[in-house]
Amino acid sequence: MLAVVDHVAERWEALLRHRLGGPAETASPYQRIRTYLEVALTERFDRADFAIFADALYREALTDTWKRRLAPWLALPDALPEPARARLTAARLLADGYWTAAATGVFPVPDRDRTQLLAVAEELLKDEAPS
């Protein structure tokens, strides 16, 4: 199971790197969250992706794999001002909700609404501070 979770988490990581054009360490928090959001709203995920993610939450070693792979993309610096942290967290949660709904098929968002969701997320990310 560790290998399966690592494989799926690696896919996420590869999608993120490809979308960004480099590793997480080269990007600002805004760029990393924007990249995560774009991947979550544009890539196709299915119930198997969700099942592997959700099942991992019941086993610490599996959860650690997700944390290790995605923390460089999702962790926010402590020094980030609170309003910026809130906007970035809201954008990430929008992405989490979208991909979960799409992957599970439970109350999925119609494709026609995706562009507007991206616009809402851009509003959350528009006050980007210099990296």
Side-chain angles (χ1 to χ4, degrees), residues 10-90:
E10 166 57 30
R11 176 175 174 247
W12 265 94
E13 199 174 24
L15 289 167
L16 292 163
R17 276 192 316 269
H18 177 73
R19 177 73 58 150
L20 179 65
E25 296 76 23
T26 65
S28 72
Y30 286 87
Q31 292 166 323
R32 293 191 317 265
I33 296 297
R34 179 177 283 115
T35 300
Y36 179 77
L37 179 86
E38 290 172 358
V39 167
L41 269 69
T42 60
E43 296 295 329
R44 296 291 177 198
F45 299 100
D46 60 26
R47 289 182 178 160
D49 293 302
F50 181 77
I52 290 167
F53 176 78
D55 190 53
L57 301 177
Y58 296 103
R59 294 169 184 86
E60 188 174 341
L62 303 177
T63 302
D64 289 346
T65 298
W66 281 105
K67 288 179 181 178
R68 178 177 43 83
R69 293 281 191 172
L70 294 184
W73 295 92
L74 302 177
L76 299 174
D78 290 336
L80 202 61
E82 287 184 27
R85 290 179 69 79
R87 288 193 314 275
L88 291 174
T89 299

